[in-house]
Amino acid sequence: GAALSVSDRQEATGYGPVFEEQPVDTIYPEESPEAKITMSCRARANPPATYKWKMDSVEIDLDTQSSHYSLVGGNLVISNPIKTKHVGQYFCFATNIYGTVISREASVQFGYLDLFSSEERESVYVKEGQGAVLLCAPPPHHPDELSFRWILNEFPTFIPLDKRRFVSQITGNLYISKVDSSDSGNYSCIASSPSISKSVFSNYIPLVPLAERQKYPADLKVKFPDTTALVGQNITLECFALGNPVPEIRWKKLDGQLPPNHELRMSGAHLHLYNVQFEDAGSFQCEAVNSRGKDYHAARVSVEAFPEWVEQMSSTEQDLSRDYTMPCVASGKPEPRIRWLKNGQLSHRKEMRFSSLTFDDSGMYQCIAENHHGVIYATAELRVYACAPTFEHNPVKRVMAAKNGRVVIECRPKAAPKPSFSWSKDTELLHNHTRVFIWEDGSLEIRNVTRADEGRYTCFAENDRGKANSTGSLLVTESTKITLAPSNADVKVGENTRMQCAASHDASLDITFVWSLDGRVIDLHKESHHYERTLNGSSNGELLIKNLQLKHAGRYTCTAQTPIDNVTAAAHLVVRGPPGAPGGVRVLNKTDKSVTLQWSRGADNHNPISKYTIQYRDSFSEDVWKNATTSPADVEGNAEMATVVDLFPWIEYEFRVIATSTLGKGEPSSPSPKDKTLEAFPVVAPSDVGGGGGTSRELTITWTPVQPQYYYGPDFGYIVAFKPQDGAQWMRVTVADPQAKHYIHRDPSIPPMTEYQVKVKAFNGKGEGPFSLTAAIYSAQDAPSEAPGRVDGKALSATDAIVWWLPLSQGNVDGYQVKYWRIPDDSEGGAETVVVPGSENHTRLESMKPDSHYLVEVRGYNSAGYGPASEHHQIHTKKPPPSRAPKIIGQKLKSHSVVNIAWEHVKPLANEAAIEGYKVLYRQKGHSTGTLYTTSKQYIDLPFHADGNYVVEVRAHSEGGDGAVAQININITGGGVMSAPSLSVLSLLLLAALCLNL
């Protein structure tokens, strides 16, 4: 492009091209119905830009008649694209009189997804319980990204993915960790290309499970590779294992915690990392575990970054002949390489630094930062101009200054090249001397300002293109002075204090007060619960500090400021409070019951430490800290070491130290590293030693186990000693389980119900403890040896029977077990059981089936077991009661208190018991008890003694029990009149099959 100069006062209103649309990577499906590709390119420019395109760095000739290319605006249209001709890298140029810019490069590629091979797939035979891998073998395709699913037998029966089944989105393979019979069928892999919206199916692969179930250890078949991710990207790591049982997949980061932005999917087979950052890099491991074994895999995730601008250039106007450097700094990993273009041409400069700008340096500049992940472009226009000085947009201003202060009056004309400067006050030309300085940029500085400096000041600017001047004025005000400065203070935590500050100032100016603590300005609004300004006149800035905390100590500075000047005064505030936390608590040495601790002093917060408290916790105290006993008992404030005593041996402890002063107790230290006291002999014996009972020829000894804090060492267990009451020799047995509660000694020679003496003691790796108190127990009795005799019984109804027997003469019977079962339908294994105390010799049998034969047997038992069974006795239950309820056919009032109820005779079915009579129950409504009558007739007179609503129930009675019930409601009124609903609407509640044994 042409070099453009902007001279004197002729300012250009145009500008160089700035891209608004640039080409993007394009994938053209080979089977696309639209036979064209459009590559975008549009730039904002004044005058409008013209466009050219290059493919693989060769300019495209748009004028050839046979060309597939045409230009629409700045866009390149490729008609009827051909793979061999049009695949490549494209970029466009946009040019106007101010220069040329180049767009980013974009690729054109042809997308395709071929069909799967038509070869028949072989059947896969797998034993049930073994794992299987079905290979997808996707066909040739572009681009690389495919997604995979599998179908079973027919579309669209997609295989659900769960803990047992997994489809790799990298290879497409289907993994089944444990094959079972339901997996039998024909499988097809579907590969889909999202870029070209096409899917293809593989031929079916038959999977044939073979019936032979075995268990197999976890075996990782899908293992994620070493992976490089870009910052901000989401990535997925895959792991899947075969095995029976189905393995669990677990993930961890070997060099730290899993990133907070992770998520497990696909039953743990996918580890997703979202918005990856540099700190997420490291070694990741997946572990597959089942009951038969484990398998591990680890690989590295590296994190790199796309280029990104740290400092970017922007369009600028610069003076002719001045020095100028274009900023352009990019970050990225690997570190990006920087290239420069001027007007689309590659520049060999490493940086754009100009020592004396010329008009030829004007133009469009592009900085390109590139690493193997990508390219970024920054574009800016540099315009070099020259003009005579002018103050049109920036005249010299009217300024104010405080007496004895300093003032700078700026002189900033637009001028190029840079002009020379001079100043006058009123009519007097000014020169540099002890109080007055003219800076290189034209500004005028006056120090130690006096009233005499007030007046009109004129700046003169001149360069080789002309000259100009501008006049401003200086007004001098009274300087601001602190009249009441804050003073040093010394206070305790929780108290209030005031910091004074007052100032005098020029009456024409407003004054404000600003407070800062150790250089940080205090925000009175945000920190209002501790800081408050007291309103005491506009020239007073007193600060009230409330409920002082240790953090409020430091240097307080009061700044009194007007629009013209400011002045400061400072004071120190000391806050005394409870001590800070001690540091570095550690165990120096230890015994079985004591440890010696060392720590370093924390801050005393301006008040001497008077004493230290030591606390401990162990695994039995549930995170509760307890005060420790120390030697010496009181730990003085100047100590940094103490011994904790009265500890338990072989217990893991943590300790912390708290300092105390006259102002209170401080924060506790961090806990010391966990440490175990040394082991010792056990001193606690098991309690509640006893026992007895059990099976014949056994001696059962029981005790309450020792609590774990009393183990005092590793390898804890019990020694059990026992001997007959009159014996001399103790037998000893070792029980290695620390949680054991009993020991059973079995010996065919043990006589039954014999008194033994027993005692138990604890032992550990260090030695044995004391024995418990000696207890007297009895060996097990023998089970009953005889069977009960003369077993007899009878049916009471369709569902109940009674059975009785001769009691056993042996004295060692605790009770009897009665078993009964229906024949021939049930076996003895499905028998009902009733247990009867030894003092009784009969029992009722319930829940039996009507009109059925039952066998009954009885045996005695005690704590040693069951004796032999009696001979079987057979009982036949009665037929069931009638299933039909009586039909009530009438009710009438015989006198003011007697009602006659009548019903039809119930005829039993062939399999039901004969009718023996009827039961009539009547009760007041809402009452649970009533009066029961039995009659062989089909009517009854019922006396009613009070007015009210009554319920009458009638049921047939047989030897099989009571039949179904009929129910009627009767209302007795005060006049002795009976009112009841007519029978046609009367609700007779027929509760069939409810056999009430009344």
Side-chain angles (χ1 to χ4, degrees), residues 85-156:
K85 271 190 178 180
H86 297 126
V87 168
Q89 297 290 118
Y90 290 76
F91 57 92
C92 74
F93 293 77
T95 303
N96 73 1
I97 58 169
Y98 295 106
T100 299
V101 288
I102 293 182
S103 74
R104 74 164 83 93
E105 283 194 354
S107 65
V108 167
Q109 293 178 315
F110 280 58
Y112 61 93
L113 174 58
D114 289 352
L115 296 175
F116 275 93
S117 161
S118 58
E119 282 181 30
E120 202 169 302
R121 298 285 192 108
E122 287 185 14
S123 297
V124 176
Y125 295 90
V126 187
K127 292 176 184 173
E128 285 184 29
Q130 265 190 331
V133 183
L134 302 187
L135 303 180
C136 180
H141 57 277
H142 186 86
D144 286 340
E145 292 76 36
L146 291 181
S147 66
F148 299 95
R149 290 199 286 179
W150 284 74
I151 55 173
L152 177 58
N153 296 328
E154 60 181 358
F155 186 84

Side-chain angles (χ1 to χ4, degrees), residues 888 891 901 950-952 966-970 983 986-988:
I888 296 173
Q891 76 268 344
I901 308 285
Y950 289 84
V951 177
V952 178
Q967 191 181 75
I968 188 170
N969 292 321
I970 294 176
L983 277 176
L986 188 66
S987 170
L988 295 180

Side-chain angles (χ1 to χ4, degrees), residues 192-407:
S192 303
S193 172
S195 321
I196 61 168
S197 304
K198 180 180 177 183
S199 298
V200 289
F201 295 67
S202 75
N203 278 346
Y204 279 108
I205 305 169
L207 176 65
V208 184
L210 305 174
E212 184 200 316
R213 294 189 69 81
Q214 284 189 27
K215 297 202 168 174
Y216 299 94
D219 178 15
L220 281 166
K221 287 295 183 192
V222 179
K223 302 176 182 180
F224 65 99
D226 284 343
T227 304
T228 299
L230 290 178
V231 168
Q233 201 180 29
N234 304 335
I235 62 164
T236 300
L237 307 181
E238 291 189 338
C239 256
F240 190 73
L242 310 184
N244 181 19
V246 176
E248 292 271 346
I249 305 285
R250 300 174 190 155
W251 292 85
K252 64 178 170 186
K253 191 164 183 253
L254 295 178
D255 38 17
Q257 297 286 314
L258 279 175
N261 49 343
H262 82 274
E263 185 189 354
L264 294 177
R265 284 203 204 148
M266 307 288 286
S267 304
H270 274 171
L271 174 66
H272 285 274
L273 302 181
Y274 293 99
N275 187 20
V276 170
Q277 300 300 312
F278 284 119
E279 59 268 24
D280 298 337
S283 291
F284 287 77
Q285 178 182 282
C286 65
E287 176 189 39
V289 185
N290 69 5
S291 58
R292 301 305 298 267
K294 296 182 180 180
D295 196 6
Y296 304 88
H297 168 69
R300 280 199 68 75
V301 172
S302 306
V303 180
E304 297 191 344
F306 200 83
E308 188 176 14
W309 293 120
V310 175
E311 195 179 351
Q312 201 174 338
M313 58 189 189
S314 56
S315 294
T316 182
E317 287 187 343
Q318 294 293 336
D319 302 359
L320 183 70
S321 301
R322 74 161 286 178
D323 296 348
Y324 176 63
T325 301
M326 277 190 175
C328 188
V329 181
S331 66
K333 191 174 178 184
E335 190 176 332
R337 186 168 65 91
I338 301 287
R339 288 182 289 140
W340 287 91
L341 301 176
K342 181 187 175 189
N343 292 328
Q345 300 297 315
L346 188 62
S347 164
H348 295 294
R349 294 190 186 196
K350 285 209 170 146
E351 57 178 356
M352 278 294 163
R353 185 190 293 275
F354 303 94
S355 55
S356 177
L357 284 167
T358 67
F359 289 127
D360 285 343
D361 293 324
S362 293
M364 299 302 298
Y365 287 82
Q366 288 176 286
C367 175
I368 303 171
E370 180 177 15
N371 66 13
H372 60 250
H373 299 300
V375 188
I376 52 174
Y377 292 74
T379 300
E381 181 180 354
L382 172 61
R383 200 170 286 186
V384 179
Y385 73 97
C387 68
T390 171
F391 287 94
E392 184 181 348
H393 300 298
N394 202 5
V396 175
K397 295 181 174 55
R398 176 177 176 271
V399 294
M400 298 170 81
K403 210 157 90 177
N404 301 323
R406 163 184 173 274
V407 68

